[in-house]
Amino acid sequence: MNTKKVESVIQHIATLQESLCNSENNLQYIKRLQALKYWLHKFDSFLDRTSRQQGEYAAVYESYFCSGCGFSFYERVCNSITVYEYGDRPF
């Protein structure tokens, strides 16, 4: 696991979260959601099982992929993409 790569992916996810809030139309919104899903998958692939549970990035992983109540952040992204594909447009 390369720490610089993981830090870069986390920073990229944070940037995408901010830009998602500033979407001005449907195309920007869905493209940013799809990019966010891609980078969440990329973050997941960089971590092995032990680092997901006990490693340096365990808290970050848990904040993205685990939920205490309701849906996790990752599930909300996937659900938003699915809802968008069924024709519900936010703008």
Side-chain angles (χ1 to χ4, degrees):
M1 173 178 65
N2 189 341
T3 305
K4 280 190 172 188
K5 286 184 180 180
V6 175
E7 289 290 335
S8 173
V9 169
I10 292 171
Q11 183 62 37
H12 198 72
I13 290 171
T15 303
L16 283 169
Q17 284 177 308
E18 290 175 16
S19 67
L20 185 64
C21 296
N22 297 327
S23 298
E24 296 178 1
N25 57 44
N26 288 321
L27 184 61
Q28 286 179 354
Y29 177 75
I30 193 63
K31 292 297 180 185
R32 290 173 182 166
L33 276 176
Q34 290 169 341
L36 196 52
K37 183 178 176 183
Y38 170 81
W39 285 103
L40 286 168
H41 280 277
K42 193 75 136 167
F43 175 67
D44 182 48
S45 70
F46 279 143
L47 303 178
D48 60 352
R49 178 176 235 176
T50 57
S51 61
R52 287 182 195 138
Q53 295 173 350
Q54 308 172 26
E56 181 180 352
Y57 300 105
V60 177
Y61 181 85
E62 188 173 321
S63 71
Y64 290 148
F65 293 99
C66 300
S67 66
C69 176
F71 294 111
S72 69
F73 177 70
Y74 174 74
E75 290 170 330
R76 286 182 290 173
V77 168
C78 291
N79 289 342
S80 295
I81 291 171
T82 303
V83 166
Y84 186 89
E85 289 172 352
Y86 281 118
D88 188 17
R89 305 290 191 250
F91 295 97

